[in-house]
Amino acid sequence: MEIIFKNVSADFKIGPIRSPFVLHSVNMIINSGAFTAVVGHTGAGKSSLLKAMNGLLIPTEGKVIVGNMIIDAKKNKKDLKAIRQKVGMIFQFPESQLFAETVEKDICFGPINFGVPIKQAKEITRRVIKMVGLDSEILTKSPFSLSGGQKRRVAIAGVLAMEPDVLILDEPGAGLDPQGKKEILTLLKKWNQDRGLTTVLVTHDMNDVALYAEDVIIMEKGRVVVQDETRKVFSNNELLNQYSLDVPDARRLQQKIEDVSGLKFPHVCLSVEELADALIEADVL
Ligand SMILES: Nc1ncnc2c1ncn2[C@@H]1O[C@H](COP(=O)(O)OP(=O)(O)OP(=O)(O)O)[C@@H](O)[C@H]1O
Ligand SMILES: [Mg+2]
């Protein structure tokens, strides 16, 4: 499912005060089946951009089009329900929203709330718990008895149970150990590749951007200032300096090798594997 922003501006109104720099005239298209990373400094508007994709933040101007659904200032609450089903949002620390006595009840809650019969909701639950790499035995446990990584997976399973076409995630690896984070991101990439699930990921970690995302959106002060292929973004030093963006570790090491040896690699390496191949090709090992 494609996501289109047409001249979208939005702000948070607290009483008479409007919060500036939330979203400003955002124009962009995220293609169906894309895996896009959203980066930018704190307060740049990344979370707000995600919220605008599923109607948690309504534009004051312009419109967001998701598939054949439109979110604009005129949208009424009822229509937003369909959008929230199609666009699954995983917040930062989603496990804080687990609430039911058992994992099964927690995951079933969404589908049942959307009118899916209980028997079918339970079937969906069995399917999604497998998708997130957990054993079905966990379904009878209390979500609060699980480890941090398991809770995160259960929370993600709850969103998958709604059978969304788009998955938007705000720092899904935050607070997990490196292995747990890698496993979650690998799962996301797999669903994206196997099921064509359009995926939009907010992250501060440029290694994750390099390893998982095909495209990057850079935000600054509520604006989308860059949208381009990941490799192109990390090949453009001027741009990286302009927005003071970090580079992935493999790229940093590659630059060091270039500086020290005078060697010039033909292309930018985004992973350790790519760098190893480039070194073998350059015959320096
Ligand atoms: N609920 C809210 N009420 C009022 N203002 C808000 C609210 N949420 C965000 N803002 C403001 O909107 C702007 C963008 O915030 P947003 O949370 O989208 O940034 P972000 O890029 O996700 O930052 P971070 O990297 O810290 O998560 C900030 O200026 C922030 O103060
Ligand atoms: Mg945020």
Side-chain angles (χ1 to χ4, degrees):
M1 217 176 231
E2 195 180 43
I3 306 166
I4 303 171
F5 277 59
K6 280 197 175 157
N7 207 25
V8 173
S9 293
D11 50 34
F12 289 99
K13 199 161 175 250
I14 311 164
I17 306 162
R18 280 189 179 272
S19 170
F21 302 134
V22 176
L23 291 180
H24 278 293
S25 312
V26 175
N27 282 294
M28 63 159 186
I29 299 177
I30 294 177
N31 292 327
S32 185
F35 196 124
T36 302
V38 183
V39 302
H41 292 286
T42 181
K46 303 179 295 295
S47 300
S48 303
L49 190 79
L50 293 197
K51 286 177 189 163
M53 291 178 194
N54 86 338
L56 279 175
L57 180 64
I58 304 288
T60 41
E61 268 174 56
K63 55 183 161 188
V64 179
I65 306 165
V66 186
N68 57 7
M69 300 172 287
I70 298 172
I71 311 170
D72 62 13
K74 295 186 294 250
K75 196 87 207 163
N76 67 43
K77 286 227 167 77
K78 208 171 111 260
D79 301 331
L80 290 175
K81 205 171 166 184
I83 291 165
R84 301 232 168 100
Q85 189 254 312
K86 287 288 164 210
V87 183
M89 178 154 181
I90 293 161
F91 296 91
Q92 228 178 1
F93 302 106
E95 55 275 22
S96 63
Q97 286 158 42
L98 299 174
F99 65 96
E101 301 139 53
T102 65
V103 169
E104 183 176 54
K105 281 189 183 161
D106 215 299
I107 299 176
C108 277
F109 178 79
I112 290 172
N113 201 24
F114 274 80
V116 174
I118 292 177
K119 192 165 163 268
Q120 204 182 327
K122 286 189 173 178
E123 280 164 19
I124 294 173
T125 301
R126 286 187 178 273
R127 187 158 47 77
V128 294
I129 205 77
K130 272 210 197 87
M131 275 177 78
V132 294
L134 293 174
D135 202 284
S136 55
E137 276 170 21
I138 213 165
L139 291 173
T140 53
K141 293 193 177 161
S142 157
F144 305 104
S145 68
L146 308 178
S147 74
Q150 287 171 325
K151 279 187 196 158
R152 183 78 47 102
R153 285 167 193 249
V154 168
I156 295 175
V159 173
L160 289 175
M162 302 299 293
E163 304 185 318
D165 288 329
V166 178
L167 211 50
I168 52 180
L169 308 104
D170 209 341
E171 294 268 1
L176 294 182
D177 62 64
Q179 186 59 27
K181 178 173 151 181
K182 189 178 168 193
E183 284 170 11
I184 297 256
L185 289 168
T186 305
L187 281 173
L188 291 177
K189 188 74 187 170
K190 191 170 152 27
W191 302 330
N192 170 256
Q193 285 173 334
D194 297 353
R195 296 164 187 256
L197 196 60
T198 309
T199 309
V200 187
L201 169 80
V202 168
T203 178
H204 285 278
D205 189 332
M206 295 306 142
N207 290 318
D208 294 344
V209 176
L211 293 178
Y212 302 100
E214 293 142 20
D215 312 287
V216 183
I217 286 171
I218 305 177
M219 292 199 72
E220 192 182 63
K221 293 183 182 157
R223 297 177 196 275
V224 167
V225 285
V226 174
Q227 185 185 18
D228 209 343
E229 289 165 29
T230 305
R231 198 176 298 277
K232 284 196 186 148
V233 169
F234 289 125
S235 305
N236 190 337
N237 288 338
E238 207 178 304
L239 187 102
L240 296 170
N241 286 337
Q242 186 179 353
Y243 297 110
S244 11
L245 279 188
D246 221 353
V247 292
D249 293 340
R251 174 62 183 150
R252 182 173 310 109
L253 183 56
Q254 185 186 23
Q255 274 171 329
K256 275 234 164 89
I257 295 170
E258 286 184 333
D259 291 348
V260 172
S261 68
L263 196 75
K264 192 86 191 105
F265 290 96
H267 62 83
V268 162
C269 296
L270 297 182
S271 67
V272 174
E273 288 76 17
E274 279 187 19
L275 181 57
D277 287 346
L279 285 168
I280 291 166
E281 223 165 275
D283 213 11
V284 290
L285 290 182

